[in-house]
Amino acid sequence: MIDLRSDTVTKPSQAMRDAARDAEVGDDVYGDDPSVNELERRAADLVGKEKALFVPSGTMGNQVAIRTHTERGQELVVDEQAHVVKWEVGGVADLSGVQARMVDCGPRAVPTAAQVEAAHVEESLHRPGTGLLCVENTHNSRGGVAVGVDEIAEACEAAHDLGVPVHLDGARVFNASVALGVAPEELTGPADTVNFCLSKGLGAPVGSILAGPEGFVERARRVRKLFGGGMRQAGIVAAPGLLALENVDRLAEDHANARTLAAGLDDIAGLSTREPDTNIVMLSVEADVHADDLVAACEEHGVAFGARDASSARLCTHLDVSRAEVREAVDRVAAAVGSLRA
Ligand code: TLP
């Protein structure tokens, strides 16, 4: 099976497995785990923040951030397609008691300054006040869009001018920095805090990083404990995470593979794609075929990916798919489409 469902499906390399086995560990809730401490130091440096916190998942990183930044009842300004409101089980309401003020950012994927200003509400007798702006880069549901430095900076500056902090869901922020050819700090710098995933394109088995100013990270550490994310000998999973940090530059290969994949799929009658910015390919399917049927037929032909709605699907390239497999995947999808039309 050529598995293009997500970049989360990568399996840890032998080096990662060896690092997990040999990791120096301690009780991280006491701050005693040397591998976690080293990972948090290096991760904070990489995104230009004072401190970092190792968390079990991207969802926990985002939700801990939102809870730490906000007070119950406040509003969160966010794109309506953002992962934090679309795919995190309603956590913003459930775990932080905030309400989302959703903005349609369209293909730009981050709000303009005007949108941030229009969405902002001032705290009053009647209104809760805006507690946080959340932006996402790359933007998953909008097709792995790499949001540029100027666009991110514009949104962050508009929020800061209103006294509103900004959290960046940078689950795939290194895909953005590599695609745009800019240092990660240029994309993370304008935001107060950033979450990035070790377990996606970087290939670690588990874990994410929440980074920001020292005081914020200390408060977030307590929220992580509240959410059940205080881990003990977590060096076992932090050690492969340290190796994952070395996989940043090679993300360019995944992006090149995604472009090959998109171009190949685009040549198949009834399917269309647009050139991807990063490792996510959005596929549009013509009306006579339901995306679920296409996905089922492709699975029978040995290619896995996910439908998003009746007429679209998402495919991801990653560390565990080669250029040859991407080409093979295109041939298999073509055969699957042929079988549906037969
Ligand atoms: N995204 C997953 C699914 O939940 C859709 C995927 O396969 O892409 N932020 C962004 C932008 C994400 O894409 C994801 C995962 C997360 C946060 C959450 O990370 P995890 O899965 O580690 O909780």
Side-chain angles (χ1 to χ4, degrees), residues 6 8 57-59 62 83 87-88 136 138 140 169 171-172 195 197 199-200 208 314:
S6 181
T8 58
S57 68
T59 300
N62 284 332
H83 196 276
W87 301 110
E88 298 187 9
E136 183 174 319
T138 64
N140 180 352
D169 176 359
R172 297 186 178 83
N195 170 74
C197 293
S199 59
K200 294 195 166 65
S208 281
R314 184 191 80 161

Side-chain angles (χ1 to χ4, degrees), residues 41-329:
R41 257 194 315 275
R42 289 200 20 213
D45 276 357
L46 201 55
V47 291
K49 299 294 179 201
E50 249 168 42
K51 290 276 176 199
L53 185 68
F54 182 46
V55 290
S57 68
T59 300
M60 187 176 284
N62 284 332
Q63 295 300 326
V64 165
I66 291 166
R67 176 66 176 260
T68 308
H69 276 297
T70 59
E71 285 168 27
R72 302 191 83 73
Q74 282 188 323
E75 291 197 0
L76 165 72
V77 175
V78 65
D79 176 45
E80 62 184 26
Q81 295 294 326
H83 196 276
V84 296
V85 285
K86 199 173 173 191
W87 301 110
E88 298 187 9
V89 208
V92 303
D94 196 332
L95 300 170
S96 297
V98 297
Q99 62 182 4
R101 181 162 293 267
M102 295 200 263
V103 174
D104 179 1
C105 296
R108 192 175 190 273
V110 278
T112 60
Q115 283 178 309
V116 172
E117 284 153 20
H120 176 256
V121 301
E122 199 64 58
E123 186 184 330
S124 72
L125 178 61
H126 304 283
R127 308 205 69 179
T130 300
L132 183 65
L133 167 69
C134 189
V135 293
E136 183 174 319
N137 199 12
T138 64
H139 196 302
N140 180 352
S141 292
R142 294 203 181 272
V145 174
V147 181
V149 174
D150 292 347
E151 287 82 1
I152 284 274
E154 177 184 325
C156 294
E157 209 178 296
H160 289 153
D161 285 348
L162 294 160
V164 173
V166 184
H167 173 66
L168 167 62
D169 176 359
R172 297 186 178 83
V173 73
F174 300 115
N175 292 88
S177 66
V178 166
L180 297 165
V182 300
E185 278 181 70
E186 290 201 53
L187 297 171
T188 57
D192 300 274
T193 58
V194 55
N195 170 74
F196 73 82
C197 293
L198 299 162
S199 59
K200 294 195 166 65
L202 303 185
V206 178
S208 281
I209 294 291
L210 173 59
E214 182 166 5
F216 174 90
V217 171
E218 280 325 300
R219 288 185 289 123
R221 190 175 292 282
R222 188 158 179 271
V223 175
R224 181 186 70 174
K225 192 72 174 64
L226 172 69
F227 288 179
M231 298 177 285
R232 300 294 178 173
Q233 285 71 37
I236 295 286
V237 276
L242 275 161
L243 293 181
L245 298 181
E246 280 154 34
N247 284 335
V248 169
D249 291 341
R250 67 147 306 284
L251 292 170
E253 285 173 41
D254 298 343
H255 301 170
N257 284 342
R259 288 193 294 272
T260 300
L261 179 63
L265 295 174
D266 205 53
D267 283 343
I268 300 172
L271 304 184
S272 59
T273 60
R274 63 165 191 82
E275 191 179 45
D277 285 357
T278 58
N279 68 324
I280 293 179
V281 175
M282 290 299 190
L283 180 66
S284 299
V285 188
E286 258 177 26
D288 63 325
V289 174
H290 195 289
D292 285 341
D293 296 332
L294 176 68
V295 165
C298 287
E299 209 163 314
E300 274 174 29
H301 284 79
V303 185
F305 56 92
R308 299 174 55 77
D309 54 34
S311 61
S312 71
R314 184 191 80 161
L315 302 89
C316 276
T317 56
H318 53 76
L319 193 52
D320 288 355
V321 275
S322 64
R323 176 62 62 101
E325 284 168 316
V326 160
R327 293 215 172 93
E328 174 64 26

